[in-house]
Amino acid sequence: MALSGGADRGSHSMDKSITLPPDEIFRNLENAKRFAIDIGGSLTKLAYYSTVQHKVAKVRSFDHKAKVSLQETDGDPLYEISVQEEITARLHFIKFENAYIETCLDFIKDHLVNTETKVIKATGGGAHKFKDLIEKKLKLKVDKEDEMTCLIKGCNFVLKNIPHEAFVYARHADSEFRFQNTHPDIFPYLLINIGSGVSIVKVESEDKFERIGGSSIGGGTFWGLGALLTKTKRFDELLQLASKGQHTNVDMLVKDIYGGAYGSLGLTGDLIASSFGKSATTDKEFSKEDMAKSLLHMISNDIGQLACLYAKLHNLTRVYFGGFFIRGHPVTMHTITYSINFFTKGEVQALFLRHEGYLGAIGAFLKGAEEDNPNQYSWGENYAGSSGLMSVSPELNPVQRARSGTFDMLEMDRLERQLVNLPLLQDPTSYIPDTVDLTEDALSRDYWLFCFEDALDGVVKRAVASQKDQPEAVERAEKFRQKYRHKLQTLRHQPFAYGSLTVRSLLDTREHCLNEFNFPDPYSKIKQKENDMALKYYLKVVKSVEELSWEQRQFTLVKGLLAGNVFDWGAKAVSDVLESDPDFGFEQAKQQLQGMKTFKLSHNNDKILNHKLFLTDK
């Protein structure tokens, strides 16, 4: 995406100077089926549904009981992996500044083909303002949906479908973002939507919600008063000023009145006694930064206290914050979190959402897609096509970061089966399928990111080998390399981009990137060869184990399990052995199990990890 350097922001000539790459921003647009749009005061969120054709590696069903002696087969492979073409559904959500809307609509019109859509669902305050423009550009009828209904539908959808959607923000902790496990029952909850004003909504079920309160003191108040105080007209610039300010230069604290804490009332000396209190008694000029910070604290504290009172009144412990005012801004989230903790003494947590900016667009889309009933399916975030929390699309020019708004994307793929909690779990809410949260463990994070980056050349090599009969495979594999390497670089600097970072999520991200470039399984040839050989020896091994004594049988089984798991450890040493000795297999692994040994894996000079594993002589 290129911007002309001489564009005049005031005249919006920048709108006309951008070129939108179809494969990067509006992906699969040629297969788009349905649209929805949420237009706010400064940001537009576009949603559309498309179908995606991709390759899927599937194993042929195999019944070993049908063979009397598998090791005496006629040479036909027993284990076969076939690659099939499948069509799946994908949801696309794109967020951009309103300044781009006309050019974006032109782009969609030029690249939209064979769509059956006749109506575009719209919500948000700008839906009426841009109604004529949308209908003129896209030749679609604009059908406006209730903003609050769309907001709740969208919130329910992300809470149910996206793992680690909600998080607690702890500014001074080792890990600022602490993600919450997906709860099997998301209701009831309180949603504090902070736009120009504040709406407080109690959500009891999928379709039952009630606006139980609100306030006229919200994001518009911060923006309006901030503009008067600082002469800064842009919202994001005002937030930037606040992030550099020191509110204690403007606010009157408890210690400014009492000389210290007011112990009998439990008030600490650093507590704000009066927002902007010093401006009335101090004869000096205050900086824009300090005034913006004081204003942000004043608005956030007021909203936080309101949220606490309504949560207590309705006996709710889950309180989510969203809306234009939040925007994932650290200072805003910190001030709201501090306020909630103070007023509830830690009994209620302030929860934020990774994708709160898309809630209205998602809800509007769902309203228009009720005939397809998207809620009967489970959806998963496609990491290859999503920008990530507080990160930008990898395809965008970093120079654009100087602007307050860039194109941000979220993609979700429909899963083959609906996900449910394992019924055998005693408490699904406390179950965590990963052993290490790499967002919190910096040493482990550095190690695993290094491992995945170090293994990238090997994965590319395997990907090409799995499709050596296709000339363009080398080019696609190179594109995969670039995409996944950029994802790893993003996660190195922003490990919280897609929720809790784990080894599993790193594998998922790699799989999503491979699928994007039509590599369903780079290891299919190896799996086919090794599993076919294993199946041929299966009955023979079972028979030999059954003939052993009980004690010998236990030892043989344990030894076999360890030898087999050598290939699943993913250790670099094992990988090196397999690369240098292609014939190294199950029997060789069993022969070289020598017993328990200890090795030290050093990473950084001052920290050492100790591991005990069964090692080979190699």
Side-chain angles (χ1 to χ4, degrees), residues 320-616:
Y320 298 101
F321 289 84
F324 173 80
F325 183 65
I326 304 294
R327 305 274 291 270
H329 195 271
V331 176
T332 308
M333 293 189 294
H334 173 68
T335 52
I336 287 178
T337 298
Y338 181 88
S339 175
I340 291 286
N341 289 339
F342 175 80
F343 289 117
T344 70
K345 296 181 171 56
E347 293 179 1
V348 175
Q349 287 184 320
L351 293 165
F352 303 95
L353 302 171
R354 284 202 290 135
H355 301 102
E356 61 91 12
Y358 294 109
L359 301 187
I362 293 173
F365 173 83
L366 294 173
K367 286 287 287 181
E370 287 175 343
E371 62 200 61
D372 296 333
N373 195 10
N375 280 319
Q376 72 179 342
Y377 302 102
S378 290
W379 300 79
E381 183 174 0
N382 176 24
Y383 299 135
S386 297
S387 300
L389 180 65
M390 297 182 72
S391 65
V392 294
S393 167
E395 292 77 28
L396 301 181
N397 190 325
V399 174
Q400 276 196 266
R401 216 35 192 157
R403 300 205 68 206
S404 61
T406 53
F407 285 79
D408 181 77
M409 295 176 288
L410 164 66
E411 287 187 357
M412 299 183 71
D413 289 334
R414 193 174 74 191
L415 306 181
E416 289 185 18
R417 298 177 181 85
Q418 191 167 16
L419 298 180
V420 296
N421 286 292
L422 181 65
L424 297 178
L425 290 174
Q426 185 175 7
D427 180 11
T429 61
S430 63
Y431 173 70
I432 301 174
D434 305 287
T435 54
V436 181
D437 184 346
L438 302 181
T439 52
E440 297 184 2
D441 189 334
L443 179 62
S444 295
R445 178 171 70 247
D446 288 343
Y447 168 72
W448 280 108
L449 286 172
F450 168 78
C451 283
F452 276 89
E453 192 161 8
D454 190 52
L456 188 52
D457 287 342
V459 177
V460 170
K461 178 181 174 183
R462 295 290 185 192
V464 174
S466 70
Q467 298 180 10
K468 56 185 178 182
D469 56 333
Q470 300 184 26
E472 80 288 355
V474 174
E475 182 182 353
R476 285 188 284 113
E478 187 57 36
K479 288 181 178 178
F480 154 73
R481 183 206 304 272
Q482 294 173 9
K483 182 103 175 187
Y484 189 57
R485 176 170 287 153
H486 190 282
K487 291 289 181 183
L488 292 176
Q489 291 170 351
T490 296
L491 291 168
R492 192 177 297 279
H493 295 100
Q494 296 166 315
F496 46 79
Y498 300 104
S500 291
L501 181 64
T502 65
V503 175
R504 183 166 52 92
S505 69
L506 285 169
L507 289 167
D508 286 342
T509 305
R510 187 171 72 180
E511 182 182 347
H512 294 175
C513 291
L514 283 166
N515 286 336
E516 181 175 338
F517 298 104
N518 256 332
F519 292 108
D521 188 354
Y523 296 91
S524 57
K525 301 291 185 186
I526 300 173
K527 290 178 183 177
Q528 188 161 332
K529 176 184 174 182
E530 293 183 352
N531 286 323
D532 191 66
M533 187 178 298
L535 284 169
K536 289 177 180 178
Y537 284 98
Y538 176 71
L539 289 180
K540 180 180 178 181
V541 171
V542 170
K543 185 177 180 181
S544 65
V545 170
E546 288 176 343
E547 292 173 351
L548 298 173
S549 66
W550 186 90
E551 186 174 340
Q552 289 177 318
R553 189 184 306 162
Q554 308 313 306
F555 182 78
T556 301
L557 288 173
V558 170
K559 193 173 181 180
L561 286 171
L562 290 171
N565 275 290
V566 162
F567 302 98
D568 285 334
W569 279 343
K572 192 175 186 307
V574 175
S575 177
D576 292 342
V577 168
L578 294 175
E579 289 291 334
S580 60
D581 184 4
D583 295 325
F584 182 85
F586 182 66
E587 291 299 325
Q588 289 80 2
K590 282 202 301 182
Q591 293 168 11
Q592 296 190 38
L593 289 172
Q594 298 298 316
M596 189 74 79
K597 296 181 181 180
T598 301
F599 76 100
K600 293 182 177 180
L601 176 67
S602 176
H603 194 85
N604 296 335
N605 294 330
D606 58 337
K607 293 184 179 179
I608 295 176
L609 296 176
N610 293 313
H611 295 274
K612 288 187 176 180
L613 295 174
F614 283 82
L615 300 180
T616 68

Side-chain angles (χ1 to χ4, degrees), residues 155-406:
C155 191
N156 292 341
F157 185 83
V158 297
L159 287 175
K160 289 192 301 183
N161 286 281
I162 303 183
H164 301 150
E165 172 64 26
F167 62 89
V168 172
Y169 184 75
R171 187 179 184 182
H172 300 298
D174 291 336
S175 177
E176 292 178 280
F177 297 82
R178 296 178 180 175
F179 296 94
Q180 306 292 295
N181 291 334
T182 303
H183 199 284
D185 184 9
I186 64 173
F187 307 109
Y189 65 85
L190 199 65
L191 177 64
I192 315 295
N193 189 56
I194 315 170
S196 298
V198 179
S199 286
I200 300 175
V201 187
K202 179 182 179 181
V203 185
E204 297 184 73
S205 67
E206 194 69 48
D207 299 308
K208 186 179 180 182
F209 64 89
E210 178 187 3
R211 186 183 187 276
I212 57 176
S215 172
S216 61
I217 302 174
T221 314
F222 174 69
W223 197 352
L225 284 178
L228 291 173
L229 290 167
T230 68
K231 309 304 178 187
T232 300
K233 294 293 185 181
R234 293 181 63 84
F235 189 87
D236 286 308
E237 290 175 9
L238 192 59
L239 284 174
Q240 282 298 107
L241 287 175
S243 67
K244 300 172 185 176
Q246 178 55 261
H247 77 98
T248 54
N249 292 334
V250 181
D251 293 340
M252 185 177 291
L253 308 182
V254 169
K255 64 184 178 184
D256 294 325
I257 300 175
Y258 297 101
Y262 195 153
S264 61
L265 294 181
L267 304 178
T268 64
D270 291 327
L271 198 65
I272 299 174
S274 175
S275 294
F276 287 90
K278 288 180 181 176
S279 62
T281 58
T282 305
D283 187 18
K284 72 171 187 178
E285 292 291 324
F286 297 97
S287 72
K288 293 180 179 181
E289 290 81 1
D290 292 347
M291 289 190 291
K293 186 63 169 287
S294 175
L295 182 61
L296 182 63
H297 273 284
M298 184 180 79
I299 303 294
S300 299
N301 285 334
D302 183 65
I303 294 171
Q305 186 170 26
L306 271 177
C308 292
L309 292 172
Y310 276 100
K312 185 170 289 190
L313 182 64
H314 292 269
N315 197 28
L316 296 171
T317 57
R318 277 178 283 186
V319 182
Y320 298 101
F321 289 84
F324 173 80
F325 183 65
I326 304 294
R327 305 274 291 270
H329 195 271
V331 176
T332 308
M333 293 189 294
H334 173 68
T335 52
I336 287 178
T337 298
Y338 181 88
S339 175
I340 291 286
N341 289 339
F342 175 80
F343 289 117
T344 70
K345 296 181 171 56
E347 293 179 1
V348 175
Q349 287 184 320
L351 293 165
F352 303 95
L353 302 171
R354 284 202 290 135
H355 301 102
E356 61 91 12
Y358 294 109
L359 301 187
I362 293 173
F365 173 83
L366 294 173
K367 286 287 287 181
E370 287 175 343
E371 62 200 61
D372 296 333
N373 195 10
N375 280 319
Q376 72 179 342
Y377 302 102
S378 290
W379 300 79
E381 183 174 0
N382 176 24
Y383 299 135
S386 297
S387 300
L389 180 65
M390 297 182 72
S391 65
V392 294
S393 167
E395 292 77 28
L396 301 181
N397 190 325
V399 174
Q400 276 196 266
R401 216 35 192 157
R403 300 205 68 206
S404 61
T406 53

Side-chain angles (χ1 to χ4, degrees), residues 83-103:
V83 176
Q84 305 171 10
E85 292 284 346
E86 281 195 358
I87 295 177
T88 57
R90 177 171 291 171
L91 300 179
H92 305 260
F93 305 100
I94 304 154
K95 182 168 60 181
F96 53 88
E97 286 183 274
N98 289 351
Y100 290 105
I101 190 168
E102 190 164 348
T103 304

